[in-house]
Amino acid sequence: GADSLPSTPDASSYVFTVAARDAAGVKAASYASVTARLVEEDTYEVEMVMDVEYWLRGTSIILNSEETLVLTASCGNSTQDEEELDYQWTVTPAPSASLQSLAVFPAGWRDSTFIVIGGYGALVAGLDYTFTARCVNTSEEGSELQSWGESSLSLSLNDAPLGGSCKVCLLGTSGCVKTGSPIVDTFRASCSNWADQDTPLLYRFGINRVGEDTVWTSLGSSSFIDLVLPSGTIEVYAQVEDAFGAATGILDLTPQGSKLIVGNGGEGRRRLLAVSGIDWSAGVGKLGELVNKQGAKEINSMLVAMGMELSLERLNALLNQSTAVNLTDALLSSASKALGFSIKTADNVCASFGVVSTLAAAGDLSWSGVASVVGILRAGLQDTSYISGLDGGCVSNGLQALRVGLDALMAAGGQDSGAGLGSLLADRETVLRGLTTLYLSSATALSPALVVSDGMGADLLARRDGRLFGSNVSVSVDMVRLGLGAGQAVVSLPASMSGVMSVLLNGSSEFNLRISVSDYSPASGVLVARSPMVGVSLYPVSGANSWSVENLTEPVNITVPLQNMTSEAWGVFRQQAVCMFWDAGAGNLSTRGVRVVGVSRVSVVCETRHLSEFVVVQDTSVALPTTQTTGGGSTTTAAVGSTASSTSSRSSTS
């Protein structure tokens, strides 16, 4: 072994010689020699860590081409300063030179971290790659005896299923019929002859009424699905995925010229109810049959179709409110059952959330309907044994369904109706916490925030650290649809909050942030809501309840956008403006620890020393100044009225 030989002096070498002779000794011997110097220099032990989800095919590491690969190398036994070490990366076979840009390799080729952004085609599916990290001591550059070490990692880039086809036809007919009746007729979307070495293959299907968003089923092992569709011109899509997640592109089953025409078609619109012949009774009966079969995917697919049809019926005033409410309640009940029929994987839960979002937006929600929406969302998040995280689309569906529910409560005046407003809002908070935690499960403090905005408000979800404090966070809202004078809510967090958070974090550095803007307020009686509710919550990354942040040494300022008002109405409002927060413990609005510190034509600044959900109200019980004219002049006398926290009120004169 090399350890038994001492190092050679300068300019001296060892000569190693081998002789080869034939066994009979007839031929002359042949000799070969090699000269080597043995020196006492560091040989670096290079460690390489891969930070990406991968699979094993036997002993081979399998990576999907859409995944971003992150490799980190370190010189484990180096005594050199980091600046004296140079990392050199190579990839075999080499990516195309045209793809070796910072857009694809953002960390470059000479850093301790090597990143390959997925989806650019830099690595070709089906090929085997070797990544090598070499660590070199730059202080010895130019020396004959430069110290170095290297480490290599080999992996295979997974390829997607190949060779098959997919189609969609009316079920029970000869040939492939592309027309049918809405809600009642069944179309079958099916895929066949797809091949891949990583089985079982999984399939998902999407439907789209032209001009609307595509709604997807969850992934499943069945290569077909029976679809009941809404009226209109319908597009159907499919995607096939292998056991390791490599997926085909989106497959269009209804290219131009072969789209499905359901009912009277017409680019997502149809004629009068009497002409199209929508049979809701038959549709509900067909849904009941699917519920009895406990096929969650088929139930969800039909619920989406019925929700889309219900939305169109209400838009065209073809269903009265009472019928729409009853239908929505019945469909939500079926959605709840469908969720109970399936294992709560991320795909199944997200499919359920998509259904609930569609149904909530389609019809008019009763109080029980709101409770069903919140209940389904909560049930989907109760058991997360099979869920490591949720994507932005899934979380957006959940947030939008919650906002539709709150909007329905707003329309009902926020009255309890015996169902328990406090309990319902507590369940809503549980859902919000679950959505926040699961979306941010793999985020870092540098990850961009998720902002979900619609005509009923907006939500911001983000992973952050101490750098958040001493800064402003703004959330944009749809000021036109919400009828607001300003297009954003702004939360100003004081720098001193970092001290409070260091205690709550208990050694951790990151936390989850949620800011919500919702067109809902439980204000009633003498209190008239003049703004959306703006909520601020901080959560531990573990997913526990939001922290109770109160008694801050410096206040948090929240700029709340105001509803549009005439100049005359605003003149009265600014004298009666009150900042309030939802006191979950008491189950009502309160002014404790909150005050108005600024009023403009479009917003009010509320100052608070605790975090909660805040709203600006007009307390109509506060008496306005009265003006009396005597002789040639006038005198103004301020009348004293009740405050927002009082239970009594007094009339005012103007």
Side-chain angles (χ1 to χ4, degrees):
D3 291 343
S4 65
L5 296 174
S7 60
T8 56
D10 291 345
S12 299
S13 302
Y14 285 103
V15 178
F16 296 88
T17 303
V18 60
R21 297 182 177 87
D22 65 335
V26 175
K27 296 182 179 181
S30 296
Y31 297 89
S33 298
V34 63
T35 301
R37 293 182 58 198
L38 195 62
V39 295
E40 294 181 359
E41 295 287 346
D42 284 339
T43 301
Y44 299 145
E45 296 177 2
V46 181
E47 298 179 351
M48 190 188 301
V49 177
M50 180 170 65
D51 183 14
V52 66
E53 185 178 16
Y54 66 90
W55 290 263
L56 290 176
R57 185 187 294 141
T59 58
S60 299
I61 296 174
I62 306 299
L63 181 70
N64 289 326
S65 59
E66 296 301 314
E67 297 285 351
T68 292
L69 175 63
V70 180
L71 298 173
T72 303
S74 61
C75 294
N77 65 329
S78 169
T79 59
Q80 302 296 320
D81 293 333
E82 188 66 26
E83 59 267 20
E84 295 180 344
L85 299 175
D86 182 28
Y87 293 90
Q88 302 169 3
W89 291 86
T90 57
V91 180
T92 307
S96 168
S98 63
L99 293 172
Q100 294 186 27
S101 66
L102 289 178
V104 184
F105 301 90
W109 296 71
R110 303 293 291 269
D111 192 88
S112 60
T113 298
F114 185 70
I115 301 174
V116 185
I117 303 297
Y120 280 87
L123 305 180
V124 180
L127 295 185
D128 298 331
Y129 287 89
T130 298
F131 298 82
T132 301
R134 171 173 286 206
C135 181
V136 180
N137 184 351
T138 58
S139 66
E140 301 170 339
E141 193 168 357
S143 168
E144 181 184 356
L145 303 174
Q146 194 171 15
S147 304
W148 61 276
E150 67 179 28
S151 178
S152 297
L153 173 73
S154 296
L155 57 82
S156 299
L157 207 65
N158 195 16
D159 48 359
L162 299 170
S165 62
C166 300
K167 64 179 181 179
V168 58
C169 307
L170 182 66
L171 196 62
T173 60
S174 58
C176 187
V177 178
K178 299 286 187 177
T179 60
S181 299
I183 302 303
V184 177
D185 281 346
T186 301
F187 292 81
R188 173 165 290 183
S190 60
C191 297
S192 59
N193 299 322
W194 290 92
D196 192 277
Q197 61 182 318
D198 304 313
T199 56
L201 298 184
L202 301 174
Y203 304 82
R204 69 171 185 148
F205 299 89
I207 64 169
N208 169 290
R209 182 159 56 187
V210 172
E212 300 181 10
D213 293 334
T214 301
V215 180
W216 289 89
T217 67
S218 58
L219 279 168
S221 58
S222 176
S223 61
F224 71 91
I225 185 172
D226 290 340
L227 302 168
V228 175
L229 300 173
S231 62
T233 301
I234 307 297
E235 299 168 334
V236 181
Y237 303 95
Q239 191 170 36
V240 187
E241 188 174 295
D242 73 11
F244 295 153
T248 63
I250 303 300
L251 307 170
D252 189 353
L253 281 59
T254 50
Q256 196 64 36
S258 64
K259 300 186 187 303
L260 303 182
I261 305 299
V262 184
N264 292 296
E267 296 303 307
R269 301 185 182 278
R270 61 180 180 77
R271 302 172 191 169
L272 294 177
L273 180 62
V275 177
S276 63
I278 299 296
D279 189 341
W280 284 104
S281 178
V284 171
K286 191 178 186 74
L287 178 64
E289 294 174 5
L290 293 177
V291 170
N292 289 335
K293 294 178 181 178
Q294 300 188 5
K297 185 181 294 187
E298 287 74 15
I299 296 170
N300 284 336
S301 174
M302 184 165 186
L303 286 172
V304 168
M306 297 180 80
M308 294 168 68
E309 194 62 41
L310 181 59
S311 179
L312 192 60
E313 295 270 316
R314 290 293 289 147
L315 180 66
N316 293 327
L318 299 175
L319 278 179
N320 61 47
Q321 183 181 25
S322 176
T323 302
V325 167
N326 291 336
L327 268 173
T328 304
D329 282 348
L331 299 182
L332 284 169
S333 175
S334 295
S336 178
K337 294 174 182 176
L339 180 61
F341 296 151
S342 58
I343 298 174
K344 291 184 178 61
T345 62
D347 284 329
N348 290 336
V349 167
C350 289
S352 179
F353 286 5
V355 169
V356 171
S357 180
T358 300
L359 293 178
D364 297 81
L365 290 177
S366 64
W367 182 281
S368 62
V370 175
S372 293
V373 167
V374 176
I376 293 170
L377 296 175
R378 182 175 183 181
L381 299 173
Q382 273 185 327
D383 180 6
T384 57
S385 305
Y386 300 97
I387 304 176
S388 58
L390 298 177
D391 62 32
C394 178
V395 172
S396 296
N397 281 331
L399 293 173
Q400 288 167 342
L402 282 180
R403 279 202 294 275
V404 172
L406 287 179
D407 192 60
L409 289 184
M410 185 76 171
Q415 300 305 309
D416 197 310
S417 300
L421 176 62
S423 176
L424 188 59
L425 293 179
D427 286 347
R428 166 180 169 266
E429 177 59 32
T430 299
V431 171
L432 288 170
R433 181 179 71 244
L435 292 173
T436 302
T437 302
L438 287 170
Y439 174 71
L440 298 173
S441 60
S442 59
T444 70
L446 298 178
S447 300
L450 172 70
V451 179
V452 181
S453 179
D454 56 27
M456 289 162 287
D459 284 276
L460 177 147
L461 308 180
R463 175 72 57 83
R464 291 295 179 256
D465 57 21
R467 288 171 290 187
L468 175 70
F469 305 114
S471 66
N472 296 337
V473 183
S474 60
V475 182
S476 297
V477 294
D478 190 332
M479 57 184 292
V480 175
R481 293 173 67 184
L482 287 170
L484 303 176
Q488 62 182 7
V490 182
V491 178
S492 301
L493 300 167
S496 60
M497 275 190 69
S498 59
V500 175
M501 290 304 299
S502 64
V503 176
L504 295 174
L505 286 168
N506 193 27
S508 301
S509 60
E510 297 182 342
F511 52 88
N512 292 337
L513 164 72
R514 178 176 60 83
I515 299 177
S516 62
V517 183
S518 180
D519 186 24
Y520 166 76
S521 170
S524 61
V526 298
L527 304 178
V528 180
R530 292 298 187 190
S531 79
M533 288 193 80
V534 179
V536 186
S537 300
L538 300 176
Y539 300 87
V541 297
S542 63
N545 292 331
S546 60
W547 283 305
S548 176
V549 179
E550 54 188 14
N551 300 321
L552 297 171
T553 57
E554 287 186 86
V556 174
N557 284 341
I558 301 176
T559 303
V560 183
L562 288 175
Q563 297 171 355
N564 291 322
M565 288 176 271
T566 64
S567 296
E568 182 180 3
W570 181 78
V572 176
F573 158 77
R574 68 189 182 91
Q575 300 175 77
Q576 298 178 324
V578 180
C579 290
M580 306 189 77
F581 76 97
W582 176 255
D583 187 336
N588 55 35
L589 289 173
S590 171
T591 58
R592 178 176 52 84
V594 186
R595 67 188 184 106
V596 175
V597 293
V599 180
S600 77
R601 191 70 178 79
V602 297
S603 63
V604 167
V605 180
C606 296
E607 181 186 274
T608 174
R609 294 181 183 271
H610 64 271
L611 300 184
S612 180
E613 290 186 289
F614 303 90
V615 64
V616 177
V617 303
Q618 181 173 352
D619 182 5
T620 58
S621 69
V622 174
L624 300 173
T626 58
T627 301
Q628 299 175 341
T629 302
T630 58
S634 64
T635 60
T636 300
T637 304
V640 180
S642 304
T643 64
S645 58
S646 174
T647 56
S648 61
S649 64
R650 295 172 57 182
S651 61
S652 59
T653 58
S654 58

